[in-house]
Amino acid sequence: MTEKPPEIPHFEYRGDIGGGGFAMVHRYYHRKLKRDVAVKVPKATGLSDAVRERFIAEGESMAELGNHRNVVTVYDTDTAADGRPYLVMEYCPGGDLAKLSGRTPLSVKEVLDIGVQVAGAIETAHERRILHRDIKPANILMNEYGKPCLTDFGIAGRFAEQDEDGQVILSVPWSAPELLDRSAVEQGGVPAEVFSLGATLWHLLVGHSPFMPRGTDNSLAAIEQRIVSGWLPTGLAAPADLQRLLARAMAKNPAARPGSVREFAVGLQRIQKAQRFGETELVLMPAPEPDEPVAAASFVAPEAPLAPPTRQRMQPVFVPQEVKPAPHTTARAVAPPPLQLPQARPVPHTTARPPEPPRPLTVDAPQTQLRKPLPDNGIRPSKPSTRSLWPLYVVGAAATAAIVGVGFFLLSGEDKPTGPVTTTITDDVPDQNAGAGGAPPGRPEITATRLDGTKVRFAWTYSAQQATDTFSWRTSTRTGTAKEPQIEVEGANPVCLQVKVVRADGSNATAEWSQESCG
């Protein structure tokens, strides 16, 4: 039978937050902590050993990831007087993203920011060999600081940990096709998590699952058929780069998706750069070394109120995950996927962005030159004669000649590509700083944005960037240089521009101009 909220010492019941068919989340005031908390407790007493284990596993998974700022924190666990186990968690007053986006779809800037933050939490779980298995808008909560936090690890599992009789619950509208199609060779793992995150971000932009287009048959069977067949939505009001990245994440073939959640997040960061949004930090927390104690080892599982029966293999448990269960939000149980073991690799602690190389020392800057003090032997150096300065005059003449030569080259009539081509940053471009230590600069790719009737903003990216790079640019009537990878040019429609990278020390230089971009 379904029980009332449990009475817990030092806790004052304040109201219900929500829940599904299996558990409820209540709001309590913790008198010792003097703050509101969320308490998750099963609805019914007399839980089977298998159900109790599943509930305890959720707390263990969240406690292990609790130091990540985008995972809901678990404060405590215990057993209530009526025998039900409960979890004491961080209270997130902002609500879940399913409700928020259902009222008003989120902006592109908000979705990119949320996507990178949640991806950091998921990738951190993967580094600890934990799969979430139920990534969807309803399982992302907004905390009191306005940060998205991943919750509900109730069906989480570990890599290579399988039970031939065990089954998992699926939220169909955000599930990968290989999880719904039992004939598929691959049955989930990291690629399925990438698919669910891509479907979740699409949902936030439109207010509903990408596989539930409005005005069509959105029965459970119809949704499942769209996903399994490889059907993809279109017409998203978002930059083309973001549309391509989300479509790639939701590809039917798992091999066609980004290889990891981290790779997907880096693609989102590239789009933030292209849109001139602030780049969100990708927070990653690498798993501890095998000989180090796990931070969450202090988590204590609640004891059963009575002596549990003989331990048996876990049987299927159907747990609706939505606050208001709907026919299409939870579906048939399927066998857990054989999970691929990802190749171990070092992960940065805070961000996937590589550090910029140090700026070279400026030869003529006095603060960068080190001189040994001369011994005080009573002898003072005399002033240099005019004859001793002749090498400086030679160097100055050579530098002047080089500057004139560069100006002649920029103004020369070099052939340019024919036809205006507008380029943009794509989601599968390699890291811009890859090989920056010794590789030549890649050919710039330009994005043109018409600001008004008289001005166009051009911005460009290229591989192997260095902090000291500058840029030469030219139009059909003007030439110039820029210190930053963007410039605003005045002119009526159209204005076309080419860019070339100029390396400060002259090494790895290239005379290759970019394709012409017009705006």
Side-chain angles (χ1 to χ4, degrees):
M1 60 177 292
T2 300
E3 299 290 338
K4 297 179 180 179
E7 294 185 7
I8 307 174
H10 310 298
F11 287 75
E12 178 183 333
Y13 172 73
R14 291 285 180 87
D16 296 337
I17 298 175
F22 167 68
M24 279 293 296
V25 181
H26 306 288
R27 180 180 175 186
Y28 282 80
Y29 179 75
H30 196 303
R31 296 190 184 94
K32 287 187 174 182
L33 296 178
K34 296 183 179 179
R35 63 180 302 172
D36 287 334
V37 295
V39 176
K40 185 171 184 177
V41 60
K43 288 184 176 181
T45 57
L47 302 177
S48 67
D49 193 38
V51 174
R52 184 179 293 275
E53 287 181 5
R54 183 179 294 277
F55 188 83
I56 293 172
E58 174 180 357
E60 291 175 340
S61 296
M62 294 180 67
E64 186 171 341
L65 300 170
N67 289 331
H68 196 287
R69 66 189 187 190
N70 297 113
V71 175
V72 173
T73 303
V74 172
Y75 298 132
D76 195 10
T77 180
D78 208 335
T79 301
D82 59 8
R84 288 182 291 172
Y86 62 85
L87 302 178
V88 182
M89 304 180 296
E90 172 187 4
Y91 172 57
C92 296
D96 68 73
L97 292 184
K99 293 179 180 177
L100 295 177
S101 64
R103 290 194 292 264
T104 303
L106 306 186
S107 68
V108 170
K109 184 176 181 180
E110 291 172 320
V111 170
L112 290 171
D113 178 54
I114 289 171
V116 175
Q117 292 187 67
V118 174
I122 298 170
E123 181 68 20
T124 295
H126 291 176
E127 288 296 326
R128 285 164 170 73
R129 309 176 68 80
I130 298 174
L131 291 172
H132 187 281
R133 290 183 175 173
D134 197 24
I135 301 167
K136 60 183 180 181
N139 284 340
I140 303 174
L141 309 179
M142 301 300 290
N143 68 11
E144 60 183 317
Y145 304 106
K147 297 294 184 182
C149 294
L150 191 62
T151 188
D152 201 349
F153 285 74
I155 58 175
R158 293 185 178 270
F159 290 121
E161 192 175 276
Q162 301 180 33
D163 185 339
E164 61 183 5
D165 295 330
Q167 297 182 346
V168 297
I169 312 305
L170 297 178
S171 297
V172 172
W174 307 272
S175 294
E178 61 268 26
L179 297 178
L180 304 177
D181 184 4
R182 294 190 178 187
S183 64
V185 176
E186 298 186 40
Q187 287 291 325
V190 171
E193 305 266 273
V194 172
F195 184 102
S196 295
L197 181 56
T200 293
L201 299 187
W202 188 293
H203 180 130
L204 299 183
L205 290 166
V206 297
H208 56 82
S209 165
F211 302 100
M212 297 174 60
R214 289 176 176 165
T216 61
D217 177 12
N218 285 322
S219 63
L220 182 61
I223 297 170
E224 187 171 338
Q225 192 278 331
R226 291 188 191 107
I227 296 175
V228 172
S229 67
W231 177 88
L232 287 176
T234 57
L236 182 66
D241 292 341
L242 180 55
Q243 294 185 51
R244 286 194 296 269
L245 179 59
L246 296 182
R248 182 183 167 203
M250 295 185 291
K252 180 179 180 181
N253 181 5
R257 302 169 198 158
S260 67
V261 174
R262 177 183 180 275
E263 180 182 333
F264 182 40
V266 171
L268 296 174
Q269 289 178 316
R270 289 199 191 103
I271 297 170
Q272 287 182 314
K273 291 180 182 178
Q275 296 298 316
R276 302 301 169 196
F277 299 146
E279 183 178 330
T280 302
E281 181 183 22
L282 177 62
V283 178
L284 301 174
M285 297 173 58
E289 296 297 329
D291 56 345
E292 295 181 3
V294 179
S298 59
F299 184 89
V300 180
E303 298 180 357
L306 301 175
T310 303
R311 195 176 188 84
Q312 297 179 352
R313 189 180 297 275
M314 185 181 295
Q315 298 299 319
V317 180
F318 296 88
V319 185
Q321 300 295 310
E322 294 293 332
V323 174
K324 294 182 180 180
H328 57 267
T329 58
T330 57
R332 57 174 173 79
V334 298
L339 308 172
Q340 298 97 16
L341 181 64
Q343 184 177 358
R345 62 183 183 282
V347 180
H349 283 269
T350 58
T351 177
R353 188 178 187 181
E356 294 185 355
R359 294 180 178 271
L361 298 178
T362 305
V363 175
D364 59 353
Q367 64 270 24
T368 62
Q369 299 175 354
L370 301 178
R371 298 179 182 272
K372 294 183 179 179
L374 294 175
D376 189 5
N377 52 12
I379 303 176
R380 295 292 180 266
S382 60
K383 294 183 180 180
S385 65
T386 305
R387 178 185 300 273
S388 65
L389 297 177
W390 71 266
L392 298 179
Y393 300 149
V394 174
V395 173
T400 302
I403 293 172
V404 173
V406 171
F408 178 80
F409 176 79
L410 293 176
L411 295 174
S412 64
E414 181 181 350
D415 291 337
K416 297 183 291 185
T418 60
V421 179
T422 301
T423 59
T424 184
I425 302 173
T426 58
D427 56 274
D428 56 355
V429 176
D431 283 347
Q432 295 177 8
N433 287 329
R443 191 177 189 183
E445 294 186 353
I446 310 177
T447 300
T449 303
R450 168 64 63 175
L451 301 179
D452 52 39
T454 61
K455 188 177 295 184
V456 181
R457 176 183 295 150
F458 296 92
W460 52 89
T461 61
Y462 59 97
S463 61
Q465 291 185 5
Q466 290 190 8
T468 55
D469 288 345
T470 57
F471 313 91
S472 296
W473 58 267
R474 67 185 184 187
T475 67
S476 59
T477 59
R478 300 172 58 188
T479 62
T481 60
K483 294 182 179 180
E484 300 295 333
Q486 69 173 17
I487 189 173
E488 293 182 2
V489 179
E490 294 185 353
N493 292 334
V495 176
C496 299
L497 180 134
Q498 288 180 287
V499 174
K500 180 171 62 176
V501 181
V502 179
R503 192 125 292 172
D505 58 1
S507 65
N508 297 323
T510 175
E512 185 177 13
W513 289 86
S514 68
Q515 284 189 310
E516 193 174 60
S517 180
C518 303

